[in-house]
Amino acid sequence: MSRQISWIEGSTAVRALVITVSNRASAGMYEDHSGPLLAALLAEAGCDPVDGPRVVPDGEPVESALREGIAEGYDVIVSTGGTGVTPQDLTPEMTRRVIDREIPGIAEAVRQVNRDKVPTSILSRGLAGQAGSTLVVNLPGSSGGVRDGMAVLGPILGHVVDQIHGGDHTA
């Protein structure tokens, strides 16, 4: 990916935060791989700086991490993990608590981008939405899910951040 969001006229750098949602990684049982990958892909897409990953267990800590990132003024917060159908996967529920408006097309595109190769991708319950002036997107916890999600998010990231900040449509 190239620096796709540098086209935003008159904008300052797009600040991004990565949150990894994993009960086991947050407990030190294994190393987080999807968070660092997501941070690298956001940087390749033109975000600067990219902070994180902040590794948290699923549930209430996700809501807290999202609220902290929003309060810190990030333009975009992308999480990885906690979007599946197990009883512990609560990231969408925690995200719904903090967003003001859903942007369902992003989440639907993420689910569909690689569904022919990975049929289970449609089981992700991730959300995308706006919380104040912050874009919040949930991606699956696998490296493949992060790559697929960024294939969707990367090309539109600059435009959606610009729009959330009151930008006008360009021809």
Side-chain angles (χ1 to χ4, degrees):
M1 282 184 213
S2 62
R3 294 188 53 87
Q4 297 173 4
I5 59 178
S6 60
W7 61 268
I8 301 175
E9 232 175 88
S11 71
T12 58
V14 174
R15 295 181 60 226
L17 173 64
V18 173
I19 299 172
T20 296
V21 180
S22 171
N23 293 328
R24 291 177 288 176
S26 67
M29 296 172 66
Y30 70 76
E31 187 179 346
D32 171 28
H33 295 286
S34 62
L37 173 62
L38 178 54
L41 292 173
L42 283 165
E44 285 180 27
C47 294
D48 183 27
V50 178
D51 293 329
R54 295 181 186 173
V55 182
V56 298
D58 214 329
E60 303 287 334
V62 175
E63 179 182 1
S64 296
L66 290 171
R67 289 193 186 282
E68 288 169 12
I70 293 161
E72 292 167 11
Y74 285 96
D75 298 301
V76 60
I77 301 172
V78 186
S79 67
T80 173
T83 64
V85 296
T86 73
Q88 300 91 344
D89 291 326
L90 299 173
T91 298
E93 287 77 11
M94 298 302 113
T95 301
R96 189 166 276 120
R97 291 180 182 181
V98 303
I99 60 175
D100 304 314
R101 301 192 298 173
E102 280 193 48
I103 307 173
I106 294 173
E108 290 305 319
V110 169
R111 281 186 272 281
Q112 297 299 322
V113 68
N114 206 11
R115 126 186 121 106
D116 291 338
K117 288 170 67 176
V118 186
T120 57
S121 67
I122 63 170
L123 298 177
S124 174
R125 300 178 312 110
L127 299 177
Q130 178 181 346
S133 61
T134 302
L135 172 66
V136 178
V137 179
N138 304 147
L139 296 181
S142 67
S143 295
V146 165
R147 282 188 189 92
D148 290 345
M150 282 304 298
V152 170
L153 190 57
I156 64 163
L157 189 55
H159 182 71
V160 70
V161 168
D162 186 52
Q163 292 290 292
I164 287 172
H165 288 275
D168 199 4
H169 291 280
T170 56

